[in-house]
Amino acid sequence: MPTIHQTVAGTPGRPPERTQVAIIGAGPAGLFLAHLLHRQGIESVILESRSRAEIEGTIRAGVLEQWVVDLMNDMGLGGRMMREGHFHSGITLRFDRESHHIDMAELTGGKRVTVYAQHEVIRDLVSARLEDGGTILFGVSDVQLHDLDGTAPRVRFRRAPDGPLEELRCDHVAGCDGFHGPSRPAIPAADRTEYQIVYPFGWLGILTEAPPSHPELIYANHERGFALLSTRSPEVQRLYLQVDPKDDIANWSDDRIWAELHTRLEDKDGWTLKEGPIFQKGIIAMRSFVCDPMQHGRLFIAGDAAHIVPPTGAKGLNLAVADVLVLSRALTAFYKSGTTEGLNRYSATCLRRIWKAERFSWYMTTMLHRNPHETPFEQRVHLADLDYVVHSRAAMTALAENYVGLPME
Ligand code: APR
Ligand code: PHB
């Protein structure tokens, strides 16, 4: 029987007091790490502040790089993804009301674009982890990291908000607790440098019950702002509009959203956007962020805890998985042969890939959005960039190889 320690649901079992790797956060980073470690015989415990229903219901992005799809299949976690995911050979870039197909598969030796929502990945990983007998403590609070400088770190937490402080002793702590979690601040401020851009725009995202309007994703640059058409299933579509990040979703009636989507996604060849009832909508702000280093003593931070990318490059989940793959390899080397070389190089190894993904996400974002603070000159340069990308095979190949994911060494 799986060990389901779910405080919120009551009947909590007795969680272990000691483990090899304490993982803070059951997002993609924490869950992939627990699975990767389990495959190498390394124990972990995941401490998650939200409930299982909350993490499985939070709507996020949904594009997987080819190597992440391959990894999920290798780990035996890809069954539902292969049945329910959407596999596209490319994407469409739309500007000046013209569509340009970027054939990723042809440009990258067969790598495809997989659309499979992040919360579906979470559902698959949580259920498989519990079936494997793994421990995930949902609904914990007051997580505190202690003694990271020595060889015996401790994590303190409460299983219920009014419950006692409990302690998990471990060899290593993996901070997979997202942008607002306690792990990054546990690296002393004097030892870390944070790099950041906050964009003067955000995305209004909707889920609509409508049939697909197009066989692949459409990224549209329009004078009124960016728009994106994506999908979730034959019955549900995901669309986004560039908006002011401080705008209130209450200002956006369904009629206004559809009118804006029709305008920004318009194509001069008469393509039409199919409408349906909108059943979920919200606004997210956008930033680029990197923390260097991503480690301190026996603490290693991964995923959104260490870096954020704007969603235009579809890199967020993929980067989180890349970090924990590097971390799992380093921890495996440590437990198998006692070497700390991989662990010592963890941050430097990850940051090489991260900065390339930051560059690509920033490039896609600046090229495709209308920035109210940019000069007309800069806006014309972005249009020239788009024109170049869709007419130069070299530029198109560079975009494609970044989009489907740079090789994972
Ligand atoms: N204690 C325990 N868990 C915490 C705490 C805390 N104090 N703070 C945050 N968490 C949990 C969150 O509830 C969340 O489930 O950590 C998890 C972090 O998950 P994500 O934010 O999804 O981050 P990550 O796993 O790095 O995945 C990055 O997620 O945000 C998207 O677009 C991003 O696709 C990217 C991916
Ligand atoms: C999504 O489907 O949510 C999605 C797709 C592509 C992106 C971002 C989000 O670049």
Side-chain angles (χ1 to χ4, degrees):
M1 272 297 285
T3 332
I4 308 179
H5 299 295
Q6 184 145 4
T7 322
V8 181
T11 60
R14 181 109 213 110
E17 288 167 7
R18 191 193 137 70
T19 190
Q20 289 173 301
V21 183
I23 301 176
I24 323 289
L31 288 164
F32 266 98
L33 180 61
H35 278 282
L36 288 163
L37 295 177
H38 175 67
R39 277 161 38 112
Q40 300 298 332
I42 301 168
E43 288 167 18
S44 67
V45 168
I46 302 184
L47 302 175
E48 166 58 52
S49 56
R50 293 185 298 157
S51 69
R52 181 175 179 183
E54 272 178 282
I55 65 164
E56 292 185 347
T58 306
I59 306 298
R60 291 238 169 106
V63 176
L64 305 183
E65 292 181 356
Q66 183 67 53
W67 70 272
V68 175
V69 171
D70 297 342
L71 180 68
M72 281 189 63
N73 283 327
D74 284 353
M75 294 168 86
L77 299 169
R80 205 162 64 89
M81 170 186 69
M82 296 313 286
R83 287 193 304 280
E84 297 177 17
H86 299 265
F87 301 92
H88 301 169
S89 66
I91 61 168
T92 291
L93 293 181
R94 190 170 283 176
F95 57 98
D96 288 340
R97 291 166 184 75
E98 271 186 53
S99 292
H100 305 267
H101 173 63
I102 311 281
D103 192 334
M104 306 272 172
E106 195 260 325
L107 292 162
T108 63
K111 293 182 183 167
R112 293 187 295 174
V113 178
T114 301
V115 186
Y116 187 59
Q118 179 166 315
H119 69 276
E120 305 292 359
V121 175
I122 298 279
R123 279 177 56 196
D124 296 343
L125 267 61
V126 168
S127 72
R129 189 70 203 113
L130 296 177
E131 269 163 36
D132 285 345
T135 304
I136 306 175
L137 291 165
F138 292 103
V140 303
S141 53
D142 209 1
V143 170
Q144 307 160 17
L145 284 54
H146 295 282
D147 296 339
L148 300 167
D149 289 311
T151 54
R154 292 173 297 124
V155 181
R156 288 191 169 160
F157 62 97
R158 293 179 206 277
R159 268 192 285 164
D162 51 357
L165 260 183
E166 297 182 36
E167 191 167 279
L168 178 64
R169 289 176 286 112
C170 58
D171 304 327
H172 299 94
V173 180
C176 302
D177 44 3
F179 189 64
H180 301 287
S183 295
R184 188 178 64 256
I187 302 177
D191 293 348
R192 67 183 138 93
T193 306
E194 297 184 344
Y195 302 86
Q196 169 160 268
I197 297 174
V198 177
Y199 297 92
F201 39 77
W203 278 12
L204 185 162
I206 63 159
L207 284 171
T208 176
E209 218 178 292
S213 298
H214 197 255
E216 58 192 18
L217 272 60
I218 302 174
Y219 288 81
N221 173 309
H222 188 274
E223 54 269 27
R224 293 182 61 82
F226 171 75
L228 169 61
L229 174 91
S230 181
T231 190
R232 284 295 177 265
S233 73
E235 297 82 30
V236 173
Q237 311 312 317
R238 179 82 166 139
L239 293 106
Y240 298 96
L241 280 173
Q242 173 186 344
V243 295
D244 182 329
K246 294 189 211 78
D247 205 344
D248 185 345
I249 193 68
N251 294 328
W252 287 86
S253 67
D254 293 2
D255 285 349
R256 182 176 175 207
I257 293 172
W258 282 119
E260 204 61 41
L261 284 167
H262 278 290
T263 304
R264 297 192 197 178
L265 286 165
E266 192 194 336
D267 172 71
K268 74 173 194 292
D269 294 330
W271 172 86
T272 47
L273 173 64
K274 294 182 183 138
E275 288 190 24
I278 295 175
F279 61 91
Q280 199 267 346
K281 55 182 168 183
I283 293 176
I284 53 155
M286 284 165 57
R287 73 172 81 220
S288 294
F289 174 90
V290 179
C291 172
D292 181 356
M294 295 165 56
Q295 62 193 97
H296 173 76
R298 291 278 182 110
L299 166 69
F300 302 87
I301 62 172
D304 276 15
H307 43 76
I308 299 285
V309 282
T312 330
K315 290 275 156 270
L317 184 153
N318 301 288
L319 263 192
V321 185
D323 291 349
V324 297
L325 184 57
V326 172
L327 183 55
S328 71
R329 287 174 179 161
L331 287 167
T332 303
F334 174 84
Y335 285 110
K336 297 236 155 104
S337 56
T339 170
T340 56
E341 210 188 310
L343 288 171
N344 296 342
R345 277 191 288 113
Y346 167 72
S347 184
T349 306
C350 290
L351 283 166
R352 285 187 64 203
R353 184 181 187 85
I354 290 161
W355 276 113
K356 291 187 195 99
E358 291 285 344
R359 183 204 70 83
F360 179 67
S361 304
W362 168 86
Y363 158 76
M364 289 286 278
T365 301
T366 49
M367 179 169 74
L368 285 161
H369 288 71
R370 288 297 160 123
N371 183 336
H373 305 306
E374 276 185 353
T375 61
F377 183 96
E378 287 162 310
Q379 287 170 5
R380 297 308 292 234
V381 168
H382 298 317
L383 289 173
D385 213 343
L386 277 165
D387 192 21
Y388 175 55
V389 157
V390 301
H391 291 108
S392 151
R393 189 172 169 89
M396 217 186 284
T397 307
L399 187 146
E401 76 168 351
N402 280 277
Y403 193 92
V404 299
L406 294 173
M408 191 64 209
E409 283 143 29

